[in-house]
Structures are given as structure tokens and as C-alpha cells.
Amino acid sequence: MVTVQQVRTVALGLPRTTEHLIHDRVKFRVGKIVYVAFSRDESVMGFGYPREERQALVDSEPGVFHLPGASDMRFQWVQAWMAELDPARMEELVVDAWRMVVPKRVAAAYVPGLPDRE
């Protein structure tokens, strides 16, 4: 199980990330693009994920991942139960979602564990 605080630590360590509280929901974004968001009760983490690969992810681990509601299916988005994620998996998902929204040169320059060199 992971917590919002653990996700916050990972997300805020990524260049250009800011945290916002919107309609009682914690969200992390780059510019105006949200790449990680939580349900109001913080039991579900939504994250950016390639649209063409998301059904395969959900099918591979239906106890961990699920698709968003019908109104959010137009976005490149998947959701995960926080209780089913471990810290290493969460970090991988958050960093991959972040890589989808930053310029390629920023993503290419990021090395986990090193301070932002931008």
C-alpha cells in the first residue's frame, strides 16, 4: 500500500511539477496538464497512461488497475487502487505519467535521485 505522501515525495521531485488541490482532490501537474490525481477519499490514484495500452494493463491486473468513468475515457488515463500498489510500482507509474507531459528534452535529462539540472 502506498500513501498520498509517498506519491507527493516522488512527484514533487520531478522537474516542473506543481501540486494543486482542486475540488478537494490532490493533483500533480506540469503546466496545465494533470498527470496524477487522487479520488477525494485518496483510495484511488489516477495517472496518465498511453490510451492504446491501457486495456492491456487493466486486463493484466484487474485487482490493481481499472479504467476511469465513461466521461474520462477520452483522456489517456488509468486508475489504480492505492491499497494494491507497492512503492516501487507507484514510482514507476508516476514517473512514466510525468514523462508523457513534459518536453522530451526534460524527460531525457531526468535521472532519478539527482537534483533538477534544468
Side-chain angles (χ1 to χ4, degrees):
M1 176 177 177
V2 296
T3 64
V4 172
Q5 184 55 46
Q6 289 172 300
V7 176
R8 178 178 287 120
T9 299
V10 172
L12 292 179
L14 299 170
R16 301 187 181 192
T17 294
T18 56
E19 179 178 351
H20 301 270
L21 186 62
I22 302 169
H23 301 292
D24 298 324
R25 293 176 45 161
V26 175
K27 298 183 180 200
F28 295 96
R29 64 188 196 192
V30 171
K32 293 184 178 192
I33 303 173
V34 174
Y35 68 92
V36 171
F38 296 94
S39 60
R40 284 185 177 85
D41 66 1
E42 299 179 351
S43 65
V44 175
M45 178 179 83
F47 55 95
Y49 200 82
R51 185 178 290 115
E52 61 279 356
E53 298 173 20
R54 65 184 175 186
Q55 188 63 55
L57 178 68
V58 171
D59 291 346
S60 71
E61 294 182 74
V64 178
F65 301 106
H66 58 279
L67 294 172
S71 65
D72 290 332
M73 286 297 287
R74 66 184 185 272
F75 301 114
Q76 296 191 76
W77 205 251
V78 173
Q79 296 179 328
W81 300 107
M82 296 284 283
E84 302 301 321
L85 288 176
D86 62 60
R89 187 74 180 275
M90 172 275 296
E91 183 171 358
E92 176 187 352
L93 295 169
V94 170
V95 172
D96 287 349
W98 169 81
R99 288 182 190 280
M100 290 176 63
V101 301
V102 293
K104 286 182 175 45
R105 65 177 175 73
V106 174
Y110 174 71
V111 178
L114 293 180
D116 183 10
R117 299 175 294 180
E118 213 179 331

